[in-house]
Amino acid sequence: MGRKGSMIEKQINSKYLQENMTLTIYQPEDFSPLYKYQLCIMQDGNDYYQLGRVATLSDRLHDNQEITNTIFVGIHYKDKFDRREKYHPDGKQNEAYIKFLGHEVVPFLDHLFPTYYMGQSRALLGDSLAGTLALMTAIRYPNTFGKVIMQSPYVNETVLNAIKTAKNLDRVAIYHTIGKAETNVQMTNGERMDFLTPNRKLHDILQSTTSSYDYYELEAGEHTWKYWQQDMKRTLISMFP
């Protein structure tokens, strides 16, 4: 069965990253400039379309009126090294990438589509390091990005310290999942890490600093797309009502 919506590609020649970035955008079937739309901006964009099945879910959830007018925007990486430089809190391009999202992607999309021009109508979605990036970007721009969805984010002391000192995080709605089996995750650099314990620390801090916070520990959850995909329906329904 084919997709009902429209997939379009746009390019941004980023002055911050000094490279041409592709946005892969999925509009719902009944898209009309007469309506206003929420934006869901996804890092690991191709993975969310192919492994997360976001376009198919968007069709179904819009049809069933389980989510309201939402446009999905995927931004992908060149390879695992490029991904780390851009998404990791200590990556060489992390600062530039966060500015790219806040100062280039958002104005571009606001110009292209009938959006609400409000933080509460813009979400950042990401898994693992991409989830970390979503959180760190919202800390920087809480008025621009009012929603964060992070699935099994990478959490280190840099992230925990950033959350402890963050201002205005109370205006950001956060959806946060971690799998109970994520105690020995192999990372792209070959090292292994316990993701569960630092995510629980992050949860302890976030539950007292944000006004809207959904946290789930997935019972058999491992650090794989199988579990992130299984939770996508609940994720989208809760964040784009």
Side-chain angles (χ1 to χ4, degrees), residues 57-108:
L57 260 177
S58 172
D59 288 345
R60 192 185 318 147
L61 298 177
H62 276 104
D63 277 354
N64 296 340
Q65 297 181 330
E66 291 178 277
I67 63 173
T68 54
N69 298 348
T70 304
I71 292 169
F72 292 88
V73 181
I75 309 170
H76 208 59
Y77 51 88
K78 285 184 280 202
D79 53 38
K80 67 180 184 180
F81 305 106
D82 179 60
R83 181 177 185 265
R84 185 177 173 83
E85 293 295 4
K86 288 184 168 83
Y87 297 0
H88 195 286
D90 305 320
K92 288 195 184 77
Q93 285 191 295
N94 183 249
E95 180 73 21
Y97 194 84
I98 288 174
K99 287 179 178 171
F100 158 70
L101 289 174
H103 297 296
E104 294 180 321
V105 173
V106 167
F108 181 85

